[in-house]
Amino acid sequence: MSALTLDRMLHPDEARSIVLARVSRLEPEDVALEDAGDRYLAYDLVADVDLPPFPAATMDGFAVLHTDTSPIREIVGAGFAGDAPGEMVALGQVARIMTGAPIPPGATAVVPVENTVMTNGRVEIRQQVVREGENIRPIGTDLRRGDLLIPAGTRLGPAELGILASLGYATVVVGRRPRVAVFSTGNELVPPDAQPGPGQIRDSNRFSLVQAARRVGADVVLSGLVRDEEAALRAAFADALARADVVITSGGVSMGDRDLVKGLLGELAEVHIRRIFMKPGKPFNFATTDRALLFGLPGNPVSCLVGFETFVAPALRMMQGAPADVAPRVPVTITHTLQPSDRIEHQRAVVWVAEDGTLHARNTGNQISARLMSFVGSNGFLVVPPGEDVLPAGTRLEAILLGAPYASER
Ligand code: AMP
Ligand code: MG
């Protein structure tokens, strides 16, 4: 990409398209059903059987002929769930039957036990009208052979795993998790268990990024803290590129004299994005090698996480086989005034369902890019267009939902 293009500040949507266009889906793998939750199905799942495979009772009661009108009937058998179908039921006869048991031959309906009275080993049917098929779940009610049950790219949740199990799958083929390396860079940084010296701070980005990556299904294979020194950074990148599909760094991409990551990315990979018309997170480096994606995020903790959620998370999901969709954008009404800035802002926000059923939102207070507290309690970003005038309460804006809206105001 030409230097001129790289210099231009990209619209966030354009930047995301550039990133997603470079994503290739990782090869699928077979995993045990127990471990397949939240993974993305690699192929269309088509039913190869009918379920239920036999007509089954949906109530505890008596299997009858719906045309039978005899008030007192002979009991000719009993069927429990798990039993093979019982003996033939004829006119004047019934078979005791439990929920889930196969309907015996001849029977065409099940009368619930509540509508019967037992006397001397015989049964009195006290239900006026019995419809054909009543309380019977016919073959193929739940799913039919040949049905497309779950399309490729679906994230497997409880119901999907249950369906796979019903069909006899002990393992399922899902997209592989991307292997991710995470590095914090900066000479001022010390690990959380160290006491910072003068001018030092504790490294927070590494822990935020590792969790953010895991939350979207990545396998974090490497993480560490690297000094702003050429040799150390080179070694870290070499290590990461040997082991990971995605390398995520924080820091070192601004205009400072020790911002070495930016230059190194240009040397090791092809750089596609340098800057985004977005606040926070203007410096955002995206580069690729023939087999890895590299994201150089800014060091400010908020800029770093906003960049991750906006651009990296969709890429990590897509690598696993998720559709190329992004977090939902919804119209919201702001309940407090907002001051726009000179770039598109992704303000951390609280979004809730108001009493009238529409979505309301407020930001989380001071939005400076070092204040990680602005993320705490938030469930999305308010997308604030650039401008000079204060936006009054009641203004309609868009929000990017990162989680479900809250059920009430907070
Ligand atoms: P940089 O992008 O390297 O210029 O860093 C921008 C700001 O973010 C500076 O104030 C850094 O001290 C701070 N910062 C950079 N990396 C981290 C980190 N891993 N954890 C916390 N703060 C950081
Ligand atoms: Mg730095």
Side-chain angles (χ1 to χ4, degrees):
M1 206 154 280
S2 78
L4 193 71
T5 316
L6 283 176
D7 221 35
R8 185 165 67 88
M9 276 197 276
L10 299 176
H11 188 283
D13 293 344
E14 188 184 356
R16 189 166 33 224
S17 304
I18 291 173
V19 170
L20 294 185
R22 303 272 161 183
V23 167
S24 16
R25 292 197 156 79
L26 299 168
E27 70 283 7
E29 62 183 5
D30 208 18
V31 304
L33 216 47
E34 290 92 324
D35 302 323
D38 290 339
R39 305 288 296 269
Y40 296 90
L41 187 65
Y43 58 91
D44 287 340
L45 179 74
V46 175
D48 55 1
V49 290
D50 294 320
L51 281 185
F54 51 84
T58 63
M59 300 278 280
D60 297 321
F62 291 92
V64 302
L65 277 71
H66 74 284
T67 48
D68 198 346
T69 50
S70 22
I72 310 283
R73 302 180 206 176
E74 179 196 359
I75 303 173
V76 294
F80 291 85
D83 289 352
E87 296 291 301
M88 181 82 183
V89 175
L91 275 178
Q93 298 180 330
V94 297
R96 181 86 173 101
I97 195 160
M98 264 51 79
T99 303
I103 302 296
T108 56
V110 171
V111 173
V113 73
E114 297 87 320
N115 299 346
T116 65
V117 177
M118 293 260 272
T119 34
N120 303 328
R122 295 161 76 82
V123 117
E124 184 188 341
I125 302 293
R126 290 205 169 159
Q127 186 174 322
Q128 297 287 333
V129 184
V130 179
R131 284 177 293 107
E132 183 171 11
E134 195 170 322
N135 301 318
I136 293 177
R137 197 162 54 115
I139 292 176
T141 312
D142 301 349
L143 51 92
R144 287 207 164 274
R145 189 191 305 255
D147 282 354
L148 169 60
L149 300 177
I150 310 175
T154 301
R155 194 168 194 204
L156 298 176
E160 289 79 9
L161 292 178
I163 289 167
L164 284 157
S166 311
L167 292 175
Y169 289 87
T171 64
V172 58
V173 182
V174 295
R176 177 165 75 73
R177 296 178 183 281
R179 289 191 267 270
V180 170
V182 172
F183 292 119
S184 291
T185 74
N187 286 351
E188 74 279 31
L189 304 174
V190 298
D193 56 357
Q195 186 59 47
Q200 293 186 323
I201 56 168
R202 293 195 177 97
D203 166 21
S204 66
N205 290 345
R206 177 179 156 199
F207 300 89
S208 297
L209 287 173
V210 165
Q211 174 53 20
R214 285 194 179 135
R215 197 166 64 175
V216 293
D219 177 15
V220 178
V221 293
L222 184 63
S223 84
L225 172 54
V226 188
R227 291 184 64 79
D228 294 317
E229 286 161 12
E230 175 120 8
L233 285 167
R234 272 184 198 283
F237 270 109
D239 203 8
L241 287 170
R243 292 164 62 181
D245 307 299
V246 179
V247 185
I248 306 171
T249 62
S250 83
V253 292
S254 304
M255 306 301 278
D257 293 343
R258 283 208 183 123
D259 286 339
L260 303 172
V261 172
K262 198 164 132 184
L264 214 48
L265 284 175
E267 208 184 291
L268 298 170
E270 186 187 348
V271 180
H272 310 287
I273 302 175
R274 286 281 192 210
R275 303 191 321 151
I276 299 181
F277 186 64
M278 187 170 110
K279 185 177 174 175
K282 180 170 69 170
F284 172 89
N285 281 236
F286 171 60
T288 53
T289 66
D290 52 3
R291 45 169 304 280
L293 306 181
L294 295 84
F295 295 95
L297 302 174
N300 263 311
V302 173
S303 319
C304 179
L305 265 191
V306 169
F308 181 94
E309 298 294 355
T310 310
F311 308 111
V312 187
L316 293 178
R317 282 194 288 261
M318 205 176 148
M319 292 173 90
Q320 298 167 70
D325 55 4
V326 290
R329 276 174 178 257
V330 293
V332 295
T333 306
I334 56 172
T335 57
H336 297 66
T337 55
L338 284 184
Q339 175 62 58
S341 76
D342 56 349
R343 277 173 270 146
I344 297 170
E345 260 191 285
H346 281 191
Q347 294 203 3
R348 279 68 66 209
V350 176
V351 182
W352 69 91
V353 183
E355 273 177 20
D356 65 0
T358 66
L359 294 176
H360 285 193
R362 62 171 174 82
N363 76 11
T364 50
N366 190 339
Q367 297 287 310
I368 58 164
S369 57
R371 187 175 165 261
L372 208 42
M373 281 302 293
S374 68
F375 259 101
V376 174
S378 74
N379 56 354
F381 296 141
L382 263 171
V383 183
V384 185
E388 279 164 13
D389 300 335
V390 168
L391 302 174
T395 304
R396 301 261 282 169
L397 290 177
E398 273 197 333
I400 297 172
L401 287 180
L402 301 178
Y406 296 122
S408 57
E409 176 164 9
R410 10 183 118 187

